[in-house]
Amino acid sequence: MKFATEESCRAYLFRMRWPDGFRCPRCGNSESWSIGKVLVRCAACRHLTSVTAGTIFQDTHTPLTIWFRAMWWVTTQKNGASALGLQRILGLKSYETAWTWLHKFRRAMVRPGRDLLCERVEIDECYIGAPEEEMHGRGAADKTLVVVAVEESGSGIGRIRFRQIPNASAATLNRFIRESVAPGSVVHTDGWQGYRKVGSLGYAHEVTVLTGRKEKASELLPHVHLVISLLKRWLMGTHQGAVSHKHLDYYLDEFAFRFNRRKSMNRGKLFYRLVQQAVAIEPVPLDVILHPEKQQTWKLPPRKSPSREADTDRLAVQATGL
Ligand SMILES: [Zn+2]
């Protein structure tokens, strides 16, 4: 690694954040002067800033060289990174610090305004938090419902998207589909009633009805079910199943980030992308990292059909199909 000094790390962040030269975050002016090694003063509005201000590195007391080692390690671990692993590799005293850093990185793994999935997309939901076999007999109370979209790419898999959802109602599923899939694409689902309106949202809706078929769901929607099994393996393996529901979204982001770049032979590209996004997103207060519900953007108004009933129906449909 060429990031052995604070200066080289800072210069790298500078090029990532301002590829066309400095821009004042307050007024957009490009003239500035340096104050010492870290601070930059805008020549127009006099705003005092630094390359790390307003990024996930803001207010850090840890040298950038350590942050860079952390990001390098995280992006070069083929199966993802655990907090314990990061703590060991950096020799951090506190597990909580390693855990918090990983969560900051995960927030930088979602590209704002990322492209929508397109052409042919399989969509289905799954429960996270319990072995598949236990799904049918028991309620869904201790499990989290996650919707999964998988782009078909020839006979293989293209890009993927996840979202934790409060229920499998049409409103919830339609919203996810509109935010994840480009209009005009083919959306392939099972016969769940929550997908009934997909055809009226500007998609070609292809339905494979599971009920009464002897094939398994994994054969009828093979791409999405392969991704679900890989996700579950990853959560059980790298994270030993110890992911709490309130943080699950960020683990889903990390899984998608890695999966969508799995064909990139150059691990350096993953690192590059992570650093690029780390200086592009706002800093997240520790309080919000620990309690993501305080920044809940996924809130739907209460619907007439209660979610638990919808989920129970859903389980019933899957049970007859499986
Ligand atoms: Zn300015």
Side-chain angles (χ1 to χ4, degrees), residues 63-272:
L64 287 175
T65 49
I66 308 286
W67 279 99
F68 271 60
R69 270 178 60 199
M71 289 187 290
W72 182 258
W73 185 75
V74 162
T75 48
T76 49
Q77 298 305 298
K78 197 163 174 291
N79 292 317
S82 68
L84 199 60
L86 183 64
Q87 186 192 357
R88 274 196 206 118
I89 213 82
L90 295 184
L92 295 173
K93 283 202 188 75
S94 133
Y95 173 85
E96 284 67 29
T97 303
W99 186 92
T100 307
W101 281 24
L102 284 178
H103 269 279
K104 289 188 177 200
F105 295 152
R106 286 185 187 111
R107 284 174 183 260
M109 287 177 180
V110 182
R111 191 158 55 89
R114 55 189 173 172
D115 300 332
L116 299 173
L117 305 185
C118 60
E119 296 190 24
R120 283 185 59 86
V121 181
E122 277 181 18
I123 295 181
D124 204 355
E125 318 94 73
C126 66
Y127 281 99
I128 299 292
E132 199 86 43
E133 314 83 63
E134 291 178 22
M135 251 178 55
H136 303 143
R138 292 168 40 186
D142 55 341
K143 295 151 213 159
T144 306
L145 190 60
V146 170
V147 59
V148 186
V150 173
E151 205 174 45
E152 292 178 25
S153 169
S155 57
I157 294 174
R159 297 165 299 164
I160 61 175
R161 293 274 189 283
F162 300 104
R163 187 176 292 165
Q164 198 177 162
I165 50 174
N167 56 56
S169 70
T172 304
L173 294 170
N174 289 345
R175 176 174 169 176
F176 170 75
I177 292 171
R178 278 200 309 267
E179 290 173 359
S180 309
V181 184
S185 307
V186 177
V187 171
H188 185 189
T189 70
D190 62 20
W192 170 241
Q193 57 178 7
Y195 294 116
R196 217 175 44 208
K197 292 264 171 62
V198 168
S200 65
L201 299 175
Y203 304 101
H205 189 201
E206 193 176 303
V207 182
T208 304
V209 177
L210 298 178
T211 315
R213 295 275 293 261
K214 64 179 193 303
E215 295 100 323
K216 288 188 171 160
S218 55
E219 290 160 19
L220 297 170
L221 294 164
H223 302 86
V224 85
H225 282 271
L226 177 60
V227 168
I228 289 170
S229 65
L230 292 172
L231 169 69
K232 288 186 172 178
R233 202 181 301 165
W234 181 74
L235 288 171
M236 291 309 292
T238 302
H239 301 292
Q240 317 217 315
V243 174
S244 72
H245 292 186
K246 69 175 181 179
H247 294 119
L248 179 64
D249 275 328
Y250 303 99
Y251 289 86
L252 297 175
D253 287 341
E254 180 187 354
F255 186 85
F257 178 83
R258 292 180 188 283
F259 190 92
N260 289 341
R261 291 164 185 80
R262 68 199 181 281
K263 286 173 186 160
S264 174
M265 298 302 285
N266 183 358
R267 291 276 136 190
K269 274 189 190 162
L270 223 62
F271 173 81
Y272 175 89

Side-chain angles (χ1 to χ4, degrees), residues 24 26-29 42 44-47:
C24 171
R26 186 192 277 169
C27 75
N29 172 65
C42 170
C45 76
R46 303 264 163 165
H47 180 55

